[in-house]
Amino acid sequence: MSDRPTAIVTGASRGIGKAISLELASLGYDIVINYFDFKDDKSDDGAAIETQNEIKAIGVECEILRGDVSSPDDRRRLVDFTKENFGRCDMLINNAGVAPSKRIDILEATEDSYDRVMNINLKAPYFLTQLVANWMIEQKKGNPKRNYRICNTSSLSAYTSSPARGEYCLSKAGIGMMTKLYADRLAEYEIGVFEIRPGIIMTDMTSAVKDKYDKLIAEGLTLTKRWGRPEDVAKAVGAIAEGRLDFSTGQVINVDGGFHLRRL
Ligand code: NAP
């Protein structure tokens, strides 16, 4: 059992999840990194190991576990692994997510792509939260003074229509309701649940559409005329981890340079 709080961060080998892990480590959290680098029938732990080394250099413990969040067995393994290695989980960050492999108009889009995106982006965090929330309730009984918190990464796509990636928009809109449901259900245990809604953030996920977004941002799509950085999102999660939003359970935190503002 560690004296430090522990956070599970899904999809933490790179991008936003990596930045969140580094932020939480700098706040004194031990970290469990989940990732799923599995392509062409092989896995590659390179990025996860690099992130683990960066976190350990901060002075906290960090373990990595490869697993597909959309697999019930892998989700259970992630929770069991955290129990065995740290004996506690104070924070869950549901961050792993994918864009559709191909952007296809909803008049043509396939059920396979729908199932893949919905399983990873919505079903997985919904049921991982169920597992971790039950464990948090148990932990809270033995440690009533500890703070337990859950953060879900949605997107501006929760409310912005992109008909060429409808399944992604649906999955992120679902995260909005999932956050409300768990915030409601877990309030009696004082477990805070939050939705982080990133805007356009520079990561591998957006590299394919870089030119398009460069132009839109230059033309004023966002109030703050720059790409978001993974660290921008991580700082918002850091504020939650520090307890600065403990009276704001269920809150949506836009990290989008003002994209969400309607203007005349
Ligand atoms: P990214 O750079 O593509 O990284 C995605 C992460 O998720 C990687 O660590 C990846 O691990 C992991 N992952 C993917 N599928 C997984 C699975 N089935 N099981 C476990 N891990 C899996 O993406 P990102 O831009 O950082 O996005 C992170 C989150 O923010 C996502 O939920 C995304 O929808 C959301 N978001 C991103 C933006 C943006 O502009 N970038 C905007 C709004 C919301 P491996 O590499 O090991 O496979």
Side-chain angles (χ1 to χ4, degrees), residues 45-94:
D45 299 331
I49 290 171
E50 202 179 303
T51 302
Q52 181 186 33
N53 289 336
E54 286 178 42
I55 288 172
K56 283 187 164 176
I58 293 172
V60 297
E61 290 302 316
C62 178
E63 296 293 339
I64 62 172
L65 185 70
R66 198 174 82 78
D68 178 357
V69 285
S70 68
S71 149
D73 288 348
D74 286 2
R75 288 194 296 270
R76 166 64 64 189
R77 243 170 14 94
L78 178 61
V79 174
D80 289 346
F81 177 84
T82 308
K83 283 183 182 169
E84 281 155 26
N85 283 275
F86 297 99
R88 62 192 282 183
C89 176
D90 305 74
M91 195 154 186
L92 168 65
I93 313 293
N94 284 306

Side-chain angles (χ1 to χ4, degrees), residues 65-135:
L65 185 70
R66 198 174 82 78
D68 178 357
V69 285
S70 68
S71 149
D73 288 348
D74 286 2
R75 288 194 296 270
R76 166 64 64 189
R77 243 170 14 94
L78 178 61
V79 174
D80 289 346
F81 177 84
T82 308
K83 283 183 182 169
E84 281 155 26
N85 283 275
F86 297 99
R88 62 192 282 183
C89 176
D90 305 74
M91 195 154 186
L92 168 65
I93 313 293
N94 284 306
N95 168 77
V98 291
S101 306
K102 266 193 202 157
R103 290 189 177 210
I104 303 177
D105 186 273
I106 45 171
L107 295 179
E108 312 285 336
T110 65
E111 293 200 22
D112 282 352
S113 177
Y114 179 97
D115 288 343
R116 171 178 171 268
V117 170
M118 291 296 271
N119 282 341
I120 295 173
N121 290 7
L122 183 57
K123 186 177 173 187
Y126 186 72
F127 285 106
L128 180 60
T129 298
Q130 185 189 65
L131 279 179
V132 174
N134 277 304
W135 182 23

Side-chain angles (χ1 to χ4, degrees), residues 14 83 105 121 133 157 200 205:
R14 56 199 170 90
K83 283 183 182 169
D105 186 273
N121 290 7
S157 297
I200 300 165
M205 185 179 275

Side-chain angles (χ1 to χ4, degrees), residues 156 158-161 197 220-223 254 256-264:
L156 55 75
Y159 62 91
T160 305
S161 164
R197 211 178 256 178
L221 181 70
T222 51
L223 301 186
N254 290 286
D256 64 356
F259 174 93
H260 64 281
L261 226 79
R262 289 181 183 214
R263 283 175 282 170
L264 269 178

Side-chain angles (χ1 to χ4, degrees), residues 11 13-14 16 36-37 67-69 95 154 168 172 199 201 203 206:
S13 54
R14 56 199 170 90
I16 293 171
F36 187 58
D37 205 341
D68 178 357
V69 285
N95 168 77
S154 72
Y168 184 79
K172 295 302 184 181
I201 312 292
T203 66
T206 43

